[in-house]
Amino acid sequence: MAYQLDRGGRRFVFADLRTLLAKASPERSGDVLAGVAAADSQERAAAQLVLADLPLKTFLREAVVPYEADEVTRLILDTHDAAAFAPVSHMTVGDFRNWLLSDAADAAALASLAAGLTPEMVAGVSKICRNQDLVLVARKCRVVTRFRSTIGLPGRLSTRLQPNHPTDSAAGIAASILDGLMYGSGDATIGVNPATDSVPAVTRLVHMLGEIIERYQIPTQSCVLTHVTTAIDLIGRGVPVDLVFQSIAGTQGANRSFGVSLSTLREGYEAAASLRRGTIGDNAMYFETGQGSCLSAGAHHGVDQQTLEARAYAVARPFRPLLVNTVVGFIGPEYLYDGRQIIRAGLEDHFCGKLMGLQMGCDICYTNHAEADQNDMDTLLTLLGVAGVSFIMGIPGSDDIMLNYQTTSFHDALYARKVLGLRPAPEFERWLEEAGIFERGETLRLGSAMPASFERAIGMGGA
């Protein structure tokens, strides 16, 4: 159905819900590229006014991507929890925003509500929120997951230690791991993007990471970010995989471009669960997402990129992931043009994922041809730290030498922890103290010397 508003002598008409959401979205280059963005700030404001008065139940009646043509839409609507939705079912989008900002929306209430929210609902309310609203609401959400470390507890900030190397050099990867551990990084996962997806190469990396974790009894989990079908193959061969990874998106077509479907993800989830490698929990999936992926795949159905990003979280939700990571500025300026757009997108993604009950981290990043710099990333890092982000990336010098983009360093994680009074995952924190990396009783103070066990294995290629 069409939605319209007369304001200031001008009539604004929005053909359907998909159009209304797109026109209400804060400006970003991807929506302009797709031809779905508001023509000007007046049209954007009008769309936001109409959206604020829209009943939340509308999102259950009108699909932005056709039900018959898209398995993600079917997943969203077929698994909607009406009982969980009931407390807010009478609200408009604007009422919902006001309730989210109220004291009534505490951690328990938000956790109970998560299964009743569709991604279009949370995307819709995010579009009428200021940045501070996105921070405040996300901070109240509490999602905790476990494998060998506990992610998401209050007062904690975890990191993915990302020791990528352009040739998968064991010595180069090991050196980066050592560097990261010495700065307290790695409690979310030690996760390597392999330069090649071949089974022998990935098997070697899985064994290498596993041997380091086992030798030094590090309470964390490894992940080689290979395709889910490769991980399934490895598990079938008896390779000791910890976390199963996959990039996902918000439409069936975009996921097809990644070489996956919901059934493929289910197979990966079941394969990971069969190994039972977690010691304190069984959350064994790791997903990455990013605004613009559906558009870049030609599978956006005329929907704005932020709404589609929220739909990717609906894809992740049934698989109880340990980690979901929005790689916010990685796709490039065609989708998020500058620092301002990247900052806004990072806050939106974190807000939407947490409201939907997911463990959300953020790769706070940009490509070198974007109109952004490390100061913009400092701003987003600080805002997300205040908002309660569960984990960020830790990379030597902020510069990924294999993927060729800029992100957050080991030092950036120390900064956020010190400024905001945050600490690593409790199991990892104890290990850091016992290893002498952090001083006992001063978990944010680095030890004065390299642990003897590391010093002996400085080549760690021999680890």
Side-chain angles (χ1 to χ4, degrees):
M1 63 173 288
Y3 305 90
Q4 65 182 42
L5 176 74
D6 292 308
R7 183 60 58 95
R10 183 177 173 186
R11 170 164 287 188
F12 299 91
V13 179
F14 308 101
D16 49 29
L17 180 59
R18 175 182 60 190
T19 303
L20 178 63
L21 287 169
K23 303 296 187 183
S25 195
E27 183 180 9
R28 61 210 55 199
S29 52
D31 291 340
V32 174
L33 179 66
V36 302
D40 53 35
S41 58
Q42 283 186 306
E43 186 179 31
R44 181 172 296 108
Q48 291 170 343
L49 286 170
V50 174
L51 181 60
D53 288 336
L54 193 72
L56 286 176
K57 288 181 179 178
T58 306
F59 294 98
L60 299 176
R61 297 194 299 266
E62 188 174 349
V64 297
V65 180
Y67 181 92
E68 302 78 14
D70 189 87
E71 67 174 0
V72 177
T73 300
R74 294 193 290 275
L75 171 70
I76 292 165
L77 295 178
D78 293 349
T79 62
H80 179 252
D81 188 330
F85 178 57
V88 299
S89 62
H90 62 287
M91 295 182 184
T92 64
V93 174
D95 294 334
F96 185 43
R97 171 187 173 271
N98 293 339
W99 179 81
L100 287 172
L101 295 172
S102 75
D103 291 337
D106 58 15
L110 293 171
S112 298
L113 180 63
L117 296 178
T118 70
E120 292 85 358
M121 289 177 192
V122 298
V125 75
S126 77
K127 295 176 193 299
I128 63 168
C129 285
R130 292 171 57 184
N131 285 1
Q132 66 173 244
D133 301 339
L134 300 176
V135 170
L136 175 61
V137 175
R139 184 175 179 84
K140 294 193 288 184
C141 297
R142 187 58 53 199
V143 183
V144 178
T145 55
R146 295 178 173 87
F147 191 81
R148 293 194 195 102
S149 58
T150 304
I151 314 298
L153 292 172
R156 306 282 176 170
L157 174 63
S158 296
T159 59
R160 170 189 159 192
L161 202 172
Q162 185 170 309
N164 294 345
H165 193 278
T167 64
D168 285 341
S169 162
I173 292 171
S176 293
I177 293 174
L178 175 60
D179 192 20
L181 292 173
M182 291 299 296
Y183 284 103
S185 283
D187 49 335
T189 185
I190 301 175
V192 177
N193 295 86
T196 174
D197 208 40
S198 72
V199 168
V202 175
T203 299
R204 179 177 60 82
L205 288 173
V206 170
H207 282 295
M208 176 188 174
L209 298 182
E211 288 165 6
I212 291 171
I213 289 171
E214 183 176 353
R215 173 179 292 194
Y216 299 103
Q217 294 297 292
I218 307 171
T220 190
Q221 36 284 326
S222 70
C223 185
V224 179
L225 281 69
T226 187
H227 195 270
V228 62
T229 56
T230 303
I232 293 167
D233 187 358
L234 294 175
I235 292 170
R237 296 167 184 256
V239 178
V241 173
D242 283 351
L243 304 184
V244 169
F245 167 82
Q246 184 55 47
S247 294
I248 55 172
T251 68
Q252 179 176 334
N255 283 320
R256 186 185 302 119
S257 75
F258 289 143
V260 298
S261 63
L262 295 180
S263 62
T264 312
L265 297 177
R266 172 63 59 180
E267 186 179 356
Y269 171 75
E270 292 173 352
S274 72
L275 295 182
R276 301 179 183 273
R277 290 183 56 77
T279 55
I280 62 171
D282 60 356
N283 302 111
M285 300 295 287
Y286 176 16
F287 294 119
E288 287 192 343
T289 66
Q291 290 194 27
S293 58
C294 294
L295 176 57
S296 68
H300 62 98
H301 296 271
V303 181
D304 69 274
Q305 65 185 38
Q306 190 260 329
T307 299
L308 292 170
E309 172 71 5
R311 284 168 57 96
Y313 306 148
V315 173
R317 190 159 53 176
F319 303 110
R320 303 173 55 250
L322 179 75
L323 310 167
V324 178
N325 176 35
T326 169
V327 191
V328 66
F330 182 74
I331 302 182
E334 299 83 2
Y335 306 96
L336 296 170
Y337 179 73
D338 56 15
R340 180 180 180 181
Q341 292 187 12
I342 292 171
I343 289 167
R344 174 70 189 191
L347 294 177
E348 289 169 347
D349 296 351
H350 180 247
F351 167 95
C352 291
K354 281 284 181 69
L355 271 183
M356 291 178 64
L358 291 173
Q359 185 64 271
M360 287 299 299
C362 185
D363 191 341
I364 301 163
C365 63
Y366 63 100
T367 58
N368 285 315
H369 62 312
E371 291 295 322
D373 60 24
Q374 213 64 39
N375 288 322
D376 295 313
M377 301 307 103
D378 288 348
T379 299
L380 180 53
L381 170 60
T382 305
L383 287 168
L384 284 172
V386 174
V389 72
S390 297
F391 68 98
I392 61 171
M393 302 299 106
I395 294 178
S398 303
D399 184 11
D400 191 302
I401 60 173
M402 194 272 278
L403 295 175
N404 294 310
Y405 76 114
Q406 308 302 309
T407 180
T408 46
S409 70
F410 308 137
H411 299 79
D412 294 330
L414 283 179
Y415 150 77
R417 285 171 174 166
K418 287 186 177 181
V419 167
L420 300 172
L422 303 171
R423 297 150 64 189
E427 303 85 0
F428 195 75
E429 178 183 64
R430 287 192 293 271
W431 178 82
L432 290 169
E433 290 185 338
E434 291 167 1
I437 295 170
F438 282 1
E439 292 187 3
R440 291 186 182 275
E442 291 283 350
T443 55
L444 299 180
R445 185 185 296 274
L446 295 176
S448 57
M450 180 182 293
S453 58
F454 285 0
E455 202 162 10
R456 288 193 301 269
I458 194 69
M460 250 196 212

